[in-house]
Amino acid sequence: MAEYFATFDNGKFSHLVYDGIWAVALTLNATIGRLKDTGRTLDEFTYGNRNMTNIMAQAVYDVEFIGVTGHMRMGKYGRQGTVDILRIHNDSYLKVGIFSQGKVSMNNTLVKWRAGRVPRDAKPTLARNVALDITTASVFIVVASLGIVLAVAFLVFNVYYRHERLIRMSSPNLNNLIVIGCILIYMVAILMVLNADMLNVASLSIVCKLRNWMMSVGYSLAFGAMLSKTWRVHKIFMCTRKYKREIGRASCRERV
């Protein structure tokens, strides 16, 4: 097989194939000795026999010889040998280190990088805090504050005139819940402006929790009350239609 690769691949892999064949042969030879101790032979090997496969896998670690490619020995992570670390310098290879027994030994005096900097081997990841600029933050705070003031005015108006007929017909209690929910959501908009540049870690953690709770409670109050009002109007109209039908039937009976 080594002669075949030497003939048809211009000798590129023939030395590797040669050492590989020797490694397989020596592994089988070591397996024969291990199987003999258990009263079995290599002829009994099948791909489904896990015990024999494990014995053969252990025998690989006993193989050690000097091959064409150098010292040949198998370990947990593959071949254990000496690997030369080369770099191209002036159109020629220059040995700058070796890798052996899982350790790298480098001659840093021979390693030279362009502009004296080591090139990046991966896409860099930079973490930074992104915050709103002071102008945008000010706009958010002003608009949210105006919304809170307007909502408080509506709440006071709704409470003060709660006994008026039109206010009573509009479900003042549900109106109050909607306004309180809107106030909480406006307050969340103000808290969203706060960032790590303005607060310490402990305070920022509390603010983050408040954002979530206030947004959840405010949204539930505002839209929950709004849906309740919609359901109330629906029930009123349905009851009114049913009442009209009953009155109509009673009138017909009286005429008869």
Side-chain angles (χ1 to χ4, degrees):
M1 186 175 289
E3 294 177 356
Y4 172 83
F5 275 91
T7 303
F8 292 99
D9 72 343
N10 297 322
K12 293 180 180 179
F13 303 102
S14 57
H15 56 296
L16 299 175
V17 174
Y18 183 83
D19 285 351
I21 294 174
W22 266 108
V24 173
L26 293 175
T27 299
L28 294 176
N29 191 46
T31 304
I32 291 174
R34 288 172 176 261
L35 291 175
K36 188 176 181 181
D37 297 336
T38 62
R40 290 177 293 179
T41 63
L42 195 60
D43 296 333
E44 301 175 10
F45 173 77
T46 58
Y47 289 102
N49 192 331
R50 288 187 172 273
N51 292 331
M52 193 173 292
T53 302
N54 293 333
I55 292 175
M56 189 175 296
Q58 292 297 324
V60 173
Y61 299 126
D62 295 338
V63 174
E64 184 175 4
F65 63 96
I66 302 299
V68 178
T69 58
H71 182 260
M72 184 73 175
R73 180 179 176 83
M74 300 302 294
K76 182 179 179 180
Y77 300 104
R79 177 176 177 176
Q80 291 183 348
T82 301
V83 179
D84 293 337
I85 302 174
L86 308 176
R87 69 180 294 263
I88 300 177
H89 182 68
N90 295 331
D91 297 329
S92 62
Y93 289 101
L94 178 64
K95 182 178 178 180
V96 296
I98 59 173
F99 175 79
S100 178
Q101 302 296 324
K103 297 180 180 180
V104 178
S105 299
M106 295 289 295
N107 187 351
N108 294 322
T109 58
L110 298 177
V111 180
K112 298 179 181 179
W113 306 106
R114 181 177 298 178
R117 295 192 305 173
V118 179
R120 295 172 178 169
D121 62 347
K123 185 178 180 180
T125 302
L126 301 177
R128 63 173 183 173
N129 295 325
V130 180
L132 293 175
D133 58 274
I134 188 63
T135 303
T136 306
S138 301
V139 172
F140 268 92
I141 293 175
V142 170
V143 173
S145 300
L146 291 177
I148 293 175
V149 172
L150 186 61
V152 171
F154 287 150
L155 181 61
V156 173
F157 177 85
N158 192 71
V159 172
Y160 186 79
Y161 293 101
R162 64 184 181 278
H163 298 298
E164 296 293 332
R165 180 173 179 273
L166 294 178
I167 300 299
R168 284 190 289 107
M169 291 177 62
S170 67
S171 303
N173 293 330
L174 294 179
N175 292 339
N176 294 337
L177 293 178
I178 293 175
V179 172
I180 293 174
C182 292
I183 292 175
L184 292 176
I185 295 175
Y186 281 127
M187 293 176 65
V188 171
I190 297 176
L191 294 178
M192 292 294 292
V193 177
L194 303 178
N195 53 60
D197 296 334
M198 304 177 183
L199 303 173
N200 55 34
V201 177
S203 300
L204 187 60
S205 177
I206 297 175
V207 169
C208 290
K209 295 178 181 178
L210 283 176
R211 292 173 185 170
N212 297 332
W213 278 100
M214 293 175 66
M215 174 60 74
S216 300
V217 175
Y219 187 89
S220 299
L221 289 176
F223 286 89
M226 193 178 301
L227 292 175
S228 299
K229 290 189 67 172
T230 304
W231 177 81
R232 177 176 176 273
V233 172
H234 168 73
K235 295 298 290 183
I236 290 175
F237 274 91
M238 292 300 295
C239 291
T240 303
R241 292 177 182 177
K242 183 178 179 180
Y243 181 70
K244 287 182 178 179
R245 286 197 298 268
E246 291 178 353
I247 293 179
R249 292 174 183 174
S251 301
C252 291
R253 292 194 193 97
E254 291 177 358
R255 290 175 185 176
V256 174

